[in-house]
Amino acid sequence: MSPLPEKPLVWLGSSKKDLLALPVAVRKFFGHVLDIAQHGERHEAAKVLKGFGGAGVLEIIEDDTGGTYRAVYTVQFAEVVFVLHAFQKKSKRGIETPKTEMEIIRQRLKIAAIVAQELRNE
């Protein structure tokens, strides 16, 4: 079986800048997980983010001495892997993703749908 072709990675909004601001070890881990996603597979650390209906929006969570960090990406679109958001989780209320972060993810997912459609139309 030949490996799947690598899908391009598209960063939406400030996701790349936000990811680059995270600690090096966290960045490297997120990069590794995203590389696996680009090859059509799912790393065991990537979990379905609740609230988006189905397995298309995934979240990577990594702890570091500085705190807990998350990166959210989607594989809903055949053409590309979109990185929707990267942030340090500051909420003290358990594991729930804060509403403001969820809103950013929702807005960027809508943009991803538009960009994916444009790619199909090219």
Side-chain angles (χ1 to χ4, degrees):
M1 191 170 111
S2 64
L4 294 167
E6 183 176 290
K7 291 182 185 182
L9 199 60
V10 174
W11 303 85
L12 294 178
S14 61
S15 59
K16 187 169 191 175
K17 178 175 72 75
D18 296 340
L19 185 102
L20 291 173
L22 302 181
V24 172
V26 173
R27 281 197 323 249
K28 284 183 177 175
F29 179 68
F30 286 173
H32 173 67
V33 176
L34 290 168
D35 181 62
I36 289 171
Q38 285 181 270
H39 289 89
E41 296 184 31
R42 186 162 128 193
H43 190 281
E44 62 192 20
K47 307 287 186 234
V48 173
L49 183 59
K50 289 175 178 57
F52 292 93
V57 178
L58 299 157
E59 174 178 53
I60 317 159
I61 302 173
E62 181 69 344
D63 290 316
D64 183 73
T65 52
T68 299
Y69 302 89
R70 296 181 178 200
V72 179
Y73 67 97
T74 183
V75 293
Q76 275 182 339
F77 308 100
E79 303 81 7
V80 66
V81 174
F82 287 102
V83 182
L84 302 173
H85 197 22
F87 60 100
Q88 180 175 4
K89 184 176 178 305
K90 292 189 167 76
S91 168
K92 303 291 180 254
R93 296 199 327 262
I95 61 169
E96 190 177 313
T97 304
K99 283 184 174 58
T100 53
E101 308 298 349
M102 291 295 280
E103 193 50 44
I104 290 169
I105 294 163
R106 279 192 188 89
Q107 288 171 350
R108 291 183 182 166
L109 189 59
K110 288 175 187 164
I111 294 166
I114 293 165
V115 172
Q117 186 61 50
E118 288 171 356
L119 289 171
R120 275 184 228 121
N121 292 341
E122 280 181 2

Coordinates of all heavy atoms in Angstrom, one line a residue, residues 29-85:
F29 N 5.6 19.0 19.2 CA 4.6 17.9 19.3 C 3.4 18.2 18.4 O 2.9 17.3 17.7 CB 4.1 17.7 20.8 CG 3.1 16.7 20.9 CD1 3.4 15.3 20.7 CD2 1.8 17.0 21.3 CE1 2.4 14.4 20.9 CE2 0.8 16.0 21.4 CZ 1.1 14.7 21.2
F30 N 2.9 19.4 18.5 CA 1.7 19.8 17.6 C 2.1 19.6 16.1 O 1.3 19.1 15.3 CB 1.3 21.2 17.9 CG 0.5 21.4 19.2 CD1 0.2 22.7 19.6 CD2 0.1 20.3 20.0 CE1 -0.5 22.9 20.8 CE2 -0.6 20.5 21.2 CZ -0.9 21.8 21.6
G31 N 3.3 20.0 15.8 CA 3.8 19.8 14.4 C 3.8 18.4 14.0 O 3.4 18.1 12.8
H32 N 4.2 17.5 14.8 CA 4.2 16.1 14.6 C 2.8 15.5 14.3 O 2.6 14.8 13.4 CB 4.9 15.4 15.7 CG 4.8 13.9 15.7 ND1 5.5 13.2 14.7 CD2 4.2 13.0 16.4 CE1 5.3 11.9 14.9 NE2 4.5 11.7 15.9
V33 N 1.9 15.9 15.2 CA 0.5 15.5 15.1 C -0.1 16.0 13.8 O -0.8 15.3 13.1 CB -0.4 15.9 16.3 CG1 -1.8 15.5 16.1 CG2 0.2 15.2 17.6
L34 N 0.1 17.3 13.4 CA -0.4 17.8 12.2 C 0.2 17.2 11.0 O -0.5 17.0 10.0 CB -0.1 19.4 12.2 CG -1.0 20.2 13.2 CD1 -0.4 21.6 13.3 CD2 -2.4 20.1 12.8
D35 N 1.5 16.8 11.0 CA 2.1 16.1 9.9 C 1.4 14.7 9.7 O 1.1 14.4 8.5 CB 3.6 15.9 10.2 CG 4.3 15.1 9.1 OD1 4.4 15.7 8.0 OD2 4.8 14.0 9.3
I36 N 1.1 14.0 10.7 CA 0.3 12.8 10.6 C -1.0 13.0 10.0 O -1.5 12.3 9.1 CB 0.2 12.1 12.0 CG1 1.6 11.6 12.4 CG2 -0.8 11.0 12.0 CD1 1.7 11.1 13.8
A37 N -1.7 14.1 10.4 CA -3.0 14.5 9.8 C -2.9 14.8 8.3 O -3.7 14.4 7.5 CB -3.6 15.7 10.5
Q38 N -1.8 15.4 7.9 CA -1.6 15.7 6.5 C -1.4 14.5 5.7 O -1.6 14.5 4.5 CB -0.3 16.6 6.3 CG -0.5 18.0 6.8 CD 0.8 18.8 6.6 OE1 1.7 18.9 7.5 NE2 1.0 19.3 5.4
H39 N -1.1 13.4 6.3 CA -0.9 12.1 5.6 C -2.1 11.2 5.7 O -2.1 10.0 5.5 CB 0.4 11.4 6.1 CG 1.6 12.1 5.6 ND1 2.2 13.1 6.3 CD2 2.3 12.0 4.5 CE1 3.2 13.6 5.6 NE2 3.3 12.9 4.5
G40 N -3.2 11.8 6.2 CA -4.5 11.1 6.2 C -4.7 10.2 7.4 O -5.6 9.4 7.4
E41 N -3.9 10.3 8.4 CA -4.1 9.5 9.6 C -4.3 10.4 10.8 O -4.2 11.6 10.8 CB -2.8 8.6 9.8 CG -2.7 7.7 8.6 CD -1.5 6.7 8.8 OE1 -1.2 6.4 9.9 OE2 -0.9 6.3 7.7
R42 N -4.6 9.7 11.9 CA -4.9 10.5 13.1 C -4.1 10.0 14.3 O -4.1 8.8 14.6 CB -6.4 10.3 13.5 CG -6.8 11.1 14.7 CD -8.3 11.3 14.7 NE -8.9 10.9 16.0 CZ -10.1 10.7 16.2 NH1 -11.0 10.8 15.2 NH2 -10.5 10.4 17.4
H43 N -3.3 10.9 14.9 CA -2.5 10.6 16.0 C -3.4 10.3 17.2 O -4.5 10.9 17.3 CB -1.6 11.8 16.3 CG -0.5 11.6 17.3 ND1 -0.7 11.6 18.7 CD2 0.8 11.3 17.2 CE1 0.4 11.3 19.3 NE2 1.3 11.2 18.4
E44 N -2.9 9.4 18.1 CA -3.7 9.1 19.3 C -4.0 10.3 20.2 O -5.0 10.3 20.9 CB -3.1 7.9 20.1 CG -1.7 8.3 20.6 CD -0.9 7.1 21.1 OE1 -1.2 6.0 20.8 OE2 0.0 7.4 21.9
A45 N -3.2 11.3 20.1 CA -3.4 12.5 20.9 C -4.5 13.4 20.4 O -4.9 14.3 21.1 CB -2.1 13.3 21.1
A46 N -4.9 13.2 19.1 CA -5.9 14.0 18.5 C -7.3 13.5 18.9 O -7.6 12.4 18.6 CB -5.8 14.1 17.0
K47 N -8.1 14.3 19.6 CA -9.4 13.9 20.0 C -10.5 14.8 19.3 O -10.2 15.9 19.1 CB -9.5 14.1 21.5 CG -8.4 13.5 22.4 CD -8.6 12.0 22.4 CE -7.6 11.3 23.4 NZ -6.8 10.3 22.8
V48 N -11.6 14.2 19.1 CA -12.7 14.9 18.5 C -13.1 16.1 19.5 O -13.3 15.8 20.7 CB -13.9 14.0 18.3 CG1 -15.1 14.8 17.8 CG2 -13.5 12.9 17.2
L49 N -13.3 17.3 18.9 CA -13.7 18.4 19.7 C -15.2 18.4 19.7 O -15.8 18.5 18.7 CB -13.1 19.7 19.2 CG -13.5 21.0 19.9 CD1 -12.9 20.9 21.4 CD2 -12.9 22.2 19.2
K50 N -15.8 18.3 20.9 CA -17.3 18.2 21.0 C -17.9 19.6 20.6 O -17.3 20.6 20.8 CB -17.7 17.9 22.5 CG -17.3 16.5 22.8 CD -17.6 16.2 24.3 CE -17.4 14.7 24.7 NZ -16.0 14.3 24.4
G51 N -19.1 19.4 20.0 CA -19.8 20.6 19.7 C -19.8 21.0 18.2 O -20.3 22.0 17.7
F52 N -19.1 20.1 17.4 CA -19.0 20.3 16.0 C -19.6 19.2 15.1 O -19.3 19.1 13.9 CB -17.6 20.6 15.6 CG -17.1 21.9 16.1 CD1 -16.4 21.9 17.4 CD2 -17.3 23.1 15.5 CE1 -16.0 23.1 17.9 CE2 -16.8 24.3 16.0 CZ -16.2 24.3 17.2
G53 N -20.4 18.3 15.7 CA -21.0 17.2 15.0 C -20.1 16.3 14.2 O -19.8 16.6 13.1
G54 N -19.7 15.3 14.8 CA -18.8 14.3 14.1 C -17.4 14.5 14.4 O -17.0 15.2 15.3
A55 N -16.6 13.8 13.6 CA -15.1 13.7 13.9 C -14.3 14.6 13.0 O -13.1 14.4 12.9 CB -14.7 12.2 13.6
G56 N -14.9 15.6 12.4 CA -14.1 16.5 11.5 C -13.3 17.5 12.1 O -12.3 18.0 11.5
V57 N -13.6 17.9 13.4 CA -12.8 18.9 14.1 C -12.1 18.2 15.3 O -12.7 17.6 16.1 CB -13.7 20.1 14.6 CG1 -12.9 21.1 15.4 CG2 -14.4 20.8 13.4
L58 N -10.8 18.3 15.2 CA -9.9 17.6 16.2 C -9.1 18.6 17.0 O -8.7 19.7 16.6 CB -9.0 16.6 15.5 CG -9.8 15.6 14.6 CD1 -9.0 15.0 13.5 CD2 -10.3 14.5 15.5
E59 N -8.8 18.1 18.2 CA -8.1 19.0 19.2 C -6.9 18.2 19.7 O -7.0 17.0 20.0 CB -9.1 19.3 20.3 CG -8.5 20.0 21.5 CD -9.5 20.4 22.5 OE1 -10.2 19.5 23.0 OE2 -9.6 21.5 22.9
I60 N -5.8 18.9 19.8 CA -4.6 18.3 20.4 C -4.4 19.0 21.7 O -4.4 20.2 21.7 CB -3.3 18.5 19.5 CG1 -3.6 18.2 18.0 CG2 -2.2 17.6 20.0 CD1 -2.6 18.8 17.1
I61 N -4.1 18.3 22.8 CA -3.9 18.9 24.1 C -2.5 18.4 24.5 O -2.2 17.3 24.5 CB -5.0 18.5 25.1 CG1 -6.4 18.9 24.6 CG2 -4.7 19.1 26.5 CD1 -7.5 18.3 25.4
E62 N -1.7 19.4 25.0 CA -0.4 19.1 25.5 C -0.1 19.9 26.7 O -0.4 21.1 26.7 CB 0.7 19.4 24.4 CG 2.1 19.1 24.8 CD 2.4 17.6 24.9 OE1 1.5 16.7 25.0 OE2 3.6 17.2 25.0
D63 N 0.4 19.3 27.7 CA 0.7 19.9 29.0 C 2.2 20.2 29.0 O 3.0 19.4 28.5 CB 0.4 19.1 30.2 CG -1.1 19.0 30.4 OD1 -1.8 20.0 30.3 OD2 -1.6 17.9 30.7
D64 N 2.6 21.3 29.6 CA 4.0 21.8 29.7 C 4.1 22.4 31.0 O 3.1 22.7 31.7 CB 4.3 22.8 28.5 CG 5.7 23.2 28.5 OD1 6.6 22.4 28.1 OD2 6.0 24.4 28.8
T65 N 5.3 22.7 31.5 CA 5.5 23.3 32.8 C 4.8 24.7 32.8 O 4.3 25.1 33.9 CB 7.0 23.6 33.1 OG1 7.6 24.2 32.0 CG2 7.7 22.3 33.3
G66 N 4.6 25.3 31.7 CA 3.9 26.6 31.6 C 2.4 26.5 31.6 O 1.7 27.5 31.6
G67 N 1.8 25.3 31.4 CA 0.4 25.2 31.4 C -0.1 24.2 30.4 O 0.7 23.3 30.0
T68 N -1.3 24.3 30.0 CA -2.0 23.4 29.1 C -2.2 24.1 27.8 O -2.7 25.3 27.8 CB -3.3 22.8 29.6 OG1 -3.0 22.1 30.8 CG2 -4.0 21.9 28.6
Y69 N -1.8 23.5 26.7 CA -1.9 24.1 25.4 C -2.8 23.3 24.4 O -2.8 22.1 24.6 CB -0.5 24.3 24.7 CG 0.4 25.1 25.6 CD1 1.1 24.5 26.6 CD2 0.4 26.5 25.5 CE1 1.9 25.3 27.5 CE2 1.2 27.3 26.4 CZ 2.0 26.6 27.4 OH 2.7 27.4 28.2
R70 N -3.5 24.0 23.5 CA -4.4 23.2 22.6 C -4.2 23.8 21.2 O -3.9 25.0 21.0 CB -5.8 23.4 23.0 CG -6.1 22.8 24.4 CD -7.6 23.0 24.7 NE -7.8 22.3 26.0 CZ -9.0 21.9 26.4 NH1 -10.0 22.1 25.7 NH2 -9.1 21.4 27.6
A71 N -4.3 22.9 20.2 CA -4.3 23.2 18.8 C -5.6 22.5 18.3 O -5.8 21.4 18.6 CB -3.1 22.8 18.1
V72 N -6.3 23.2 17.4 CA -7.5 22.7 16.9 C -7.4 22.7 15.3 O -7.0 23.8 14.8 CB -8.8 23.5 17.3 CG1 -10.0 22.9 16.7 CG2 -8.9 23.5 18.8
Y73 N -7.7 21.6 14.7 CA -7.6 21.5 13.2 C -8.8 20.8 12.7 O -9.5 20.1 13.5 CB -6.3 20.9 12.8 CG -6.1 19.5 13.1 CD1 -6.4 18.5 12.2 CD2 -5.6 19.1 14.4 CE1 -6.2 17.1 12.5 CE2 -5.4 17.7 14.7 CZ -5.7 16.8 13.7 OH -5.5 15.4 14.0
T74 N -9.0 20.9 11.4 CA -10.1 20.1 10.8 C -9.6 19.3 9.6 O -8.8 19.8 8.8 CB -11.3 21.0 10.4 OG1 -12.4 20.2 9.9 CG2 -11.0 22.0 9.4
V75 N -10.2 18.1 9.5 CA -9.9 17.3 8.3 C -11.2 17.0 7.6 O -11.4 16.1 6.8 CB -9.3 15.9 8.8 CG1 -7.9 16.1 9.3 CG2 -10.2 15.2 9.8
Q76 N -12.2 18.0 7.8 CA -13.5 17.8 7.1 C -13.4 18.0 5.6 O -14.3 17.5 4.9 CB -14.4 19.0 7.6 CG -15.2 18.6 8.9 CD -16.1 19.8 9.3 OE1 -15.9 20.9 8.8 NE2 -17.1 19.5 10.1
F77 N -12.4 18.6 5.1 CA -12.3 18.9 3.7 C -11.2 18.0 3.0 O -10.1 17.9 3.5 CB -12.0 20.4 3.5 CG -13.0 21.2 4.3 CD1 -12.7 21.8 5.5 CD2 -14.3 21.4 3.8 CE1 -13.6 22.5 6.2 CE2 -15.2 22.2 4.5 CZ -14.8 22.7 5.7
A78 N -11.6 17.4 1.9 CA -10.7 16.4 1.3 C -9.4 17.1 0.8 O -8.3 16.4 0.8 CB -11.4 15.8 0.1
E79 N -9.4 18.3 0.5 CA -8.2 19.0 -0.2 C -7.1 19.4 0.7 O -6.0 19.5 0.3 CB -8.7 20.3 -0.9 CG -9.8 20.1 -2.0 CD -11.2 20.0 -1.4 OE1 -11.4 20.2 -0.2 OE2 -12.1 19.7 -2.1
V80 N -7.4 19.6 2.0 CA -6.5 20.3 2.8 C -6.8 20.1 4.3 O -7.9 19.8 4.7 CB -6.5 21.9 2.5 CG1 -7.9 22.5 2.9 CG2 -5.4 22.6 3.1
V81 N -5.7 20.3 5.2 CA -5.9 20.2 6.6 C -5.8 21.7 7.1 O -4.8 22.4 6.8 CB -4.8 19.4 7.3 CG1 -4.9 19.5 8.8 CG2 -4.8 18.0 6.9
F82 N -6.9 22.2 7.7 CA -6.9 23.6 8.2 C -6.6 23.6 9.6 O -7.2 22.9 10.4 CB -8.3 24.2 8.0 CG -8.7 24.5 6.6 CD1 -9.5 23.7 5.8 CD2 -8.2 25.6 6.0 CE1 -9.9 23.9 4.5 CE2 -8.6 25.9 4.6 CZ -9.4 25.1 3.9
V83 N -5.6 24.4 10.0 CA -5.4 24.7 11.4 C -6.3 25.9 11.8 O -6.1 27.0 11.3 CB -3.9 25.0 11.7 CG1 -3.7 25.2 13.2 CG2 -3.0 23.9 11.2
L84 N -7.2 25.6 12.7 CA -8.2 26.6 13.1 C -7.7 27.5 14.2 O -8.1 28.7 14.3 CB -9.5 25.9 13.5 CG -10.1 25.0 12.4 CD1 -11.3 24.3 12.9 CD2 -10.5 25.8 11.2
H85 N -7.0 27.0 15.2 CA -6.7 27.8 16.4 C -5.6 27.1 17.2 O -5.5 25.8 17.2 CB -8.0 27.9 17.2 CG -8.0 28.9 18.3 ND1 -7.1 30.0 18.2 CD2 -8.7 29.1 19.4 CE1 -7.4 30.8 19.3 NE2 -8.3 30.2 20.0

